[in-house]
Amino acid sequence: HVLHRWAKPAPEKMNVESFQKQFGLLEESDGIDNNGNDSDDGSIKEITNGEHTLSPAATPPQAFLPCLSWGWALVSGGGNAVMPTLARAWGCSLQLLRANFPPNESGDDDESLLLPAFGVHDEFEAPAPVVALEWLGNRSLVYLTVTNEFTVIDTVMMTLLERLDFSCERLVYAEFSLSRSVATNILSRGCKDEEGDSKPLRKVPHVSTTFLNSIRTSDNRLLVLCQEELRSVSILGTRQRIRTLEEDGEWLEALALALDHYESTIKSLEDRKRDPDGRKKISNHPEFTSTSRLSDDEEWIADLLLRYLNLAVENAPEPSTEQPGTRSAVSRLSSTRIDLAQSHFQMLAGVCIEFCVVTRRLDLLFGPIFRRFQSVHYTNVFLDVLEPYVLNDKLHYIAPDAMAQFVEHCKASNDVATVERCLLHMDVTIMDFDSILSLLRKNDMYSALLHVFAHGLNDFITPLEILMEAIFDAADTFDLNTPRRLDGVHQNKFEQYGYKAILYLQHCFKGQTFPQGRDLKPEERVETLRPQILTFLQQEQYSPSISVTKSDVVMRKSHSTGLRACAYPYMHVLMLVDSKALLTTLTLALDAPGAKFVESESKAEPVAAWDVEVGDENGETVLQQMRRNGMSSNTPGEEEIDILCPDRQHLVNILSSVVYVFESEGANAKMGNALQSQVAKDAFLDFMAKYLLRGVVRAPKSLTLSIISRMSSRSISPKDCPARLFAQDEVIQLLKALPRDSYDRHEVLATVKQSRMLRAALLLHKEGVTVCLDGRENVCALSEHFVSAIDCYLVDEDLKFRKEVFDYAKKECVVASVATSMMCVGDNKEATNAHELLRKALHTKLSDLVSLDAVLTAQLVAEIFIDDLDEVMNSLKSVEGGEIQFKFLHSIISEDLSRADPVAGQVLNANLSIDHHQTYLSLMAQFHPDMVYQHLSTHNNYRTEECLKLCQEYEIADASAYLLERMGNISSALQLMLQTLEGRMMTLKRIIRGIGPSGYSFNRNALRRTGGLGRRKQDHNLAENEKKEKEIQSVKRILIVSLDLCERNSGPSSARTEHGSQLWFNVLDRLINAKGFLRLAKELPEHAAIMSAVLSELLQMTMQRMVSNIPLPDLVRKITTDHSGNRLGEFREMIMSMLKTYSCEVDVFTRAADVMHHDVRCMSLEKKRLKLRGSRVQSVSGVQLGKRVFPSKIKAIDDITSSIILAVDSEGDATTREDILDDVTRSDVKNKDIVAVALSKLRRKRERISGQKKHRVWGRAQTTVNMMTTSDVNFCKGKSSEAAFMGPRHIGALSGAEHYGRLG
C-alpha cells in the first residue's frame, strides 16, 4: 500500500520496433548471420549507428522493463534537507517520487509506525529507452540507455551535468523470458535454400534484457561491471574541473564553466523570483558590496577572473612605440602588433564585463578590473566595450570614476551624445547625484540632466531652470537675427537648447517621460506637474533658485541684463526660439482632459483695455494671492490648489505683452528680426482665436480686430478653395461666440469686406439691422445695413443660400411692422416708421430679387407690396429693357406662383388688370415670341385687335393666325400660316445649302490633316447643323398650328360646314406641291435628300391628323382626283401612312371591346362567387350530419323547409333564426303582389334575350353586357330556379351566407 500503481507509458514510448528502426538495433539475431545462416556459437555482433554502438545483447529486447533506484537525495524546492526519493524509469519516461510522512493527527505520544506517502515530484523524458538507473550522491541521478550512454542529471536544477559514451565497453547484462510469452514469428531476411525458396519461419521466445545489476555507486563513484573488467567512474566537482582546465591553460572554458556553475547553483530560482530583472535594491548598491556578504563560491569565482586578468595583461602583445600617423621605417610586424594588442584587450574587456554582469559583481568590475586597465593605458578600449552593455540594458550602473573617464573619452571623440544615450538606459536612483549632476552641467548634457532629475529626484522644475540658464547665456552670445534654416537644422546653441526645452515641456504636458516618451508614473504626478511648470513659465522677473545658479550668475543677479531683464523672461526667450511651437505646447496644457484652472474674478466683465503688465501692483497672480492670503471657507483646499493651473486669462495676457514687445522692438538685435516678430504675432493670434471661440478668455477690441484680420487673411484665395470657406466659417463662429461689446462692428465689417468674406459681413449687417431696430443706433443706418445684407445674399456662390434672402427680408419687415416705437431720422427729428424704411430699401432691390427667383419675389410682393403693385411694376419697367418686368409678370400669369403658393397667386392674379396682361403680352412678343401663341390659346384676358397689331408688328405668324381665326377670318388665318410655312421651308433650304460636305459625317483623319483650319470648319458645320435642327422644329411647329386651326374648324357643326374638309385639303396641297416650288431637283443630292425627309415627315404628321377628321374615301378620292397626273410613287409613303394609321385605329377599338367583354365576364363570375359563398355545416340543431340519427331528431330536421334561414356558429352548428324568418314571412305577405309583377317582367325579359341571335367576333360567341348568374341563365331558358323562392333581393349589398333546402 506504499506505492501507487504506475500506469504504463504511452504506446509510442513503448514501441520497441520504432526504437529498433530509430537507433538501428541488430537485424540479425538468434544465431542468424547476415547471410541467413545459423550461428551455432551464439556470438554477439555489434552494430554501430553513427557515434553510438548499441548494446551487444544476444537477443534484442522485445519489451522494456521498469527500473527502480532508492536514495536520499536533494530535489528542487526541497531546500537543503535530503529526503527519501524513489527514481523509476520505464521506457523513455522517468519519474522522481518523493516520500512524505503524514502528521500524527491522533495526538498520541506513542511511537507508532507511520507509513510514508509517495507522490510524483518531477518527471521528464529521455531520448532513448532506459535500461538501468542509479543514484550518484545526493543530487545526481545516473541512467543508462539502450544507446550505451550514461547520463548524469542534477535533480535540484534539473539540468544535464554529463553524458558518457560506453559504446566501446561490453557490459554485463541479464536476459529474461517474460511470463505469458507468445510465439513470435521472425522472418529470416534473405535466407534461401538451394532452390531459391525461403526457409520456413522459426519460433523464438519473447525475451527482454536488463542492465540493472551491472552498475552500482559507492563513495560518489560509479562502478560499471563489464565482461572483461570492472570500471570505476568518478564525478569531479566544479572546482576540481575548473582547476584542471586552469592547469591545462583553457581559461575561457574554465570561466564558462564557472558561469554555468554560478547560474545553476549560486543564482537560485528563488533569487530570480525575488529579482526577475537582475537589478539590486539600494541596500545592495554595488559600492556597498563587501566580501563578508559573498559566499565562498562567489569569492573563488572572482579570484579566478582576477587571475585570468593578470595573466592576460602580463602576456599581452606589446604595443607599438610609434605614435599613430607618424611615418618611419616601421616594419609590417609593428603594425600587426598594434592590431593584436588592441584586439587582445578588447577581447579581455568583453570577457571581464560579461563575467561581472552575469555574476552581479559591479564592485569588481569598476574596482580592480577598471584600475588594471587604467594601469596599462587601455581605459578607452574598456569604455568602448562597456558602451553596448549599457545601451542594450544589460548594465544599469557605472561608477562615478568610470563615468568621468567615459565622459572625457566621448568628448575627446566628439561624441558627447553617446553619454546621454547611455544615461537614459541607466538606473539613476542608485547613482551619485552630486558627482553625476556636476558632470552633466559641466559638459552641457542637458537631456541626460533632465532625465536624472526627473527619474532620480522626481524634480521637473530644477532641470528646466538649469536649461533656461543655458538658453539665456546662448541668447547673450549668439545673433538672434539669423534666419532659421528651412531644413530645421540647428545653427547655434540657442536654437539647440531652446527646442530641447520646448520638447521637454511637450513631454511633461502630455504626461510622458523625457525623452523616451513613456507614460509618467504615477498619474497623479501629471496633475501636479502641469501647474508647477505653468507657474514657473509665468514668472514676471528673473529670479533663479540658489540650487541652480552659478557663481557668475549670483554676481550679476542684482543687475540682470539682456533677456533676463525683460518682463516674463522665461516666456520671452522661448517665444524667441519658436513662438508657434511654444504656443502649440501651451495648447497641450490648456486642452488637457481633466485640467482645472483658477477662474479669474473679473473674467465675466468685459475687458476695457489691454494691460501689458498683468497682475496686481506687486506682480502677484491670482493663484499667488490665494496662497498668500490663505483659503477662505468657500475656496478650495490645499490639495486642490496643488492641481489648479494658473488662470488662462492671465496666461494670454502675458503672451500678449511678450508678442507686442516683439512688434514694438523688432529692430533690436536681441528681440529678433521683423520676420520672426510677424511669425510670433500670427501664431499668437491663431492661439487667441481658438480660445476666444471656446469662451474661456477675453480680449480687448483692438486685439479682437487683429485676430479677425489674421483669420480673414487666410481667405485671400480662389473662390473654390476649401481653405477660404473654412476660414470664413471660423470667422463666423468667432463672431457668434463673442459678445457684441467685445469688438467694434464697423471696423470688423470693413476688415471682412476687404477680404471678401461676404457671409461674415452678412452676419454683421444683420446685427446692425437688429441694433437699429432696438434703437441703440441711429436709424439712418437701418436701410444701409438692410440693403447691404441683401447684397451679401445675392453675390454668394451657393444658389440655395442666395434664396434665403427672401425669408430674411420677410422676417425683418414683419419684425419692423410690429415695432410700435417711432425713431428719429437726421437732425430734423422726423418720426419715421421702421417698417416703411425697410419697405423702401427692399423696393430698390426688387429687380435683383426677380433676377434671382421671380416666383419667390412675387410671393414676397404679395405679402409686403400688394397695395403698391403699380409702383412695383413701374420700378421694374425700365430695368434691363423690361425683361425683369416680364419675368415678374410671367411668374404670376403662368400659374408658377399659384403652384408654389396658391394664396399669393390668387391675390396677385386678382389685382392684375387688363393693362397688366396687355403689357405682359407686349413684353412676351418682344423677348419670347415663340410663347405668344401658347398664351393666346390658353388665356382670354387680352384685347384681340391690339394683340393682332402687336403680333403683326413682330411678325408672329402663328399668333396672328390664331387671332384672325378668333375674329372669324379663318381663310386668311390659314393662308397666313401656309405662307409662313413656305417661307420657313425656304429658309430651311438655304440653311441646308450652307452646310458643307463634312457637316454630314465627322472625318477624324481629315481633321488631323488639315489641322486648325479643319477644326474651325468643323465647328462651323456643327453650328450650322444646330441651326438646321432648330429651323426644322420651327417648321413643324408652324404645321402643328395650321393643323390645329383645321381641326378646330372642321366637323359636323353647322357653323363650320362652309369649310369642311377644304381646310385640310389646302394644307395637303401645299405639302404635296412643296417639292415643286422648292425646286429640289436642282439642289445637290444630299441637300435634296434632307429636304425630302423633312417633307415626308410633315406629310405623315398631316395624314395622322386628317384620318381622325376626314372620311377615308374622301381622302383617297382627293389624292386620286386632284393629283391624277402625278406618279404613284410620289404618294406611296403618304398612302401607306394613311392606311397604317387607319388600321391602327381599328385595332385599338377592337382590343378595347375585347377588354370590355373580358372585364364583364370577370365581374359576373365574381358576383356569382359572392352569392354562392357559404359556411361549413357539421350539425343542425345539435344533430351531427353523416351519423345515425334517432327518429325523434329526424322529425325536427324534416320541419326545416327551404324558406327557413339558418345561422351557423364558429363550431359549424346550424340553427334556425325565427326572428329573421318572421320578418321574411311578413315581408312576403305584404309584398306578394309586387313580387309577382316583378317576376313576370323578369321572365318576359329573359325570354326575349334568349331568343336573340348570337354573333361571333374573332372566332368566339358575341356576349352581351349583363350581370346574369348561372341561375338567371337557367331561368331564362325555362328551367326551374330556386331564385323564385328567395323573397325580396337587396341590390347593392351582399348579405351573409344563406342556406336553402334540406340538410342532412
Side-chain angles (χ1 to χ4, degrees), residues 694-745:
R694 295 185 180 181
V696 297
V697 296
R698 298 289 296 274
K701 295 183 178 180
S702 58
L703 181 59
T704 304
L705 179 62
S706 300
I707 294 171
I708 296 177
S709 299
R710 164 64 180 167
M711 298 173 68
S712 302
S713 63
R714 304 177 187 172
S715 66
I716 303 177
S717 57
K719 292 184 178 180
D720 57 346
C721 181
R724 176 178 176 273
L725 300 178
F726 180 75
Q728 183 171 235
D729 291 340
E730 283 187 334
V731 173
I732 294 175
Q733 293 176 8
L734 179 60
L735 292 175
K736 291 180 179 179
L738 291 175
R740 292 184 177 180
D741 57 353
S742 62
Y743 59 90
D744 189 339
R745 189 178 69 255

Side-chain angles (χ1 to χ4, degrees), residues 35 92 106 218 353 607 634 639 727 734 784 824 896 1039 1113 1208 1270:
N35 297 325
C92 296
S106 61
S218 177
I353 295 173
V607 182
N634 57 351
E639 295 182 358
L734 179 60
E784 180 182 355
C824 298
D896 291 341
L1039 177 62
V1208 183
T1270 305

Side-chain angles (χ1 to χ4, degrees), residues 992 1000 1080 1083-1096:
I992 295 175
Y1000 307 105
L1080 298 181
E1083 299 291 334
L1084 294 176
E1086 56 268 21
H1087 296 167
I1090 296 175
M1091 287 300 301
S1092 298
V1094 173
L1095 289 176
S1096 298

Side-chain angles (χ1 to χ4, degrees), residues 1151-1166 1260 1263-1265:
R1151 299 305 176 188
D1154 292 342
V1155 170
M1156 181 190 66
H1157 292 309
H1158 179 268
D1159 291 343
V1160 169
R1161 178 64 178 170
C1162 292
M1163 293 170 63
S1164 177
L1165 294 176
E1166 179 66 16
R1260 55 186 175 86
T1263 61
T1264 59
V1265 180

Side-chain angles (χ1 to χ4, degrees), residues 779-788 837-838 841:
V779 75
C780 295
L782 177 61
S783 300
E784 180 182 355
H785 284 301
F786 186 65
V787 171
S788 299
L837 292 177
L838 293 180

Side-chain angles (χ1 to χ4, degrees), residues 361-375:
R361 290 297 305 276
L362 301 185
D363 59 324
L364 185 66
L365 177 63
F366 297 112
I369 297 177
F370 183 70
R371 290 192 295 269
R372 189 67 172 126
F373 274 86
Q374 281 183 318
S375 63

Side-chain angles (χ1 to χ4, degrees), residues 251-450:
W251 285 96
L252 296 180
E253 289 78 359
L255 292 173
L257 184 58
L259 288 180
D260 292 340
H261 174 68
Y262 174 83
E263 291 184 341
S264 61
T265 305
I266 302 174
K267 188 179 180 182
S268 61
L269 294 175
E270 288 76 8
D271 293 338
R272 297 178 185 176
K273 293 179 182 178
R274 287 193 298 267
D275 191 13
D277 296 335
R279 302 184 182 182
K280 294 192 175 185
K281 299 179 182 179
I282 192 66
S283 59
N284 298 328
H285 194 280
E287 296 294 328
F288 303 146
T289 304
S290 61
T291 57
S292 60
R293 299 173 58 186
L294 300 176
S295 62
D296 294 338
D297 287 343
E298 288 179 306
E299 293 182 1
W300 185 80
I301 290 176
D303 293 339
L304 174 65
L305 179 62
L306 292 177
R307 290 197 301 272
Y308 168 70
L309 175 63
N310 293 328
L311 181 64
V313 171
E314 293 173 359
N315 294 278
E318 295 183 1
S320 174
T321 57
E322 298 291 337
Q323 296 295 329
T326 59
R327 295 186 176 273
S328 60
V330 182
S331 63
R332 193 172 181 180
L333 179 60
S334 175
S335 175
T336 305
R337 285 178 179 174
I338 295 175
D339 295 337
L340 289 176
Q342 185 84 4
S343 301
H344 176 78
F345 280 100
Q346 286 178 351
M347 181 273 297
L348 181 60
V351 172
C352 294
I353 295 173
E354 180 71 25
F355 201 93
C356 293
V357 169
V358 173
T359 59
R360 296 182 291 186
R361 290 297 305 276
L362 301 185
D363 59 324
L364 185 66
L365 177 63
F366 297 112
I369 297 177
F370 183 70
R371 290 192 295 269
R372 189 67 172 126
F373 274 86
Q374 281 183 318
S375 63
V376 293
H377 307 292
Y378 277 94
T379 307
N380 295 341
V381 175
F382 178 84
L383 297 174
D384 289 337
V385 178
L386 186 69
E387 177 189 343
Y389 284 88
V390 178
L391 296 179
N392 292 326
D393 294 328
K394 292 183 177 180
L395 185 62
H396 300 278
Y397 173 78
I398 298 179
D401 296 340
M403 177 59 74
Q405 293 288 337
F406 184 58
V407 173
E408 294 298 330
H409 170 63
C410 292
K411 289 180 63 177
S413 59
N414 197 19
D415 191 15
V416 182
T418 302
V419 181
E420 292 188 307
R421 289 198 301 269
C422 291
L423 283 172
L424 298 178
H425 291 268
M426 295 170 62
D427 187 2
V428 297
T429 59
I430 60 176
M431 300 178 66
D432 184 7
F433 288 102
D434 294 335
S435 60
I436 191 64
L437 292 179
S438 61
L439 184 65
L440 295 177
R441 292 188 61 178
K442 179 181 178 182
N443 295 278
D444 297 335
M445 292 184 290
Y446 294 105
S447 295
L449 181 71
L450 296 170

Side-chain angles (χ1 to χ4, degrees), residues 58 63 101 187 357 381 470 510 524 573 800 925 1114 1157 1162 1211 1271:
F101 293 92
L187 179 62
V357 169
V381 175
K510 290 180 181 179
E524 293 78 10
V573 70
K800 184 178 180 180
D1114 295 344
H1157 292 309
C1162 292
E1211 297 180 355
S1271 299

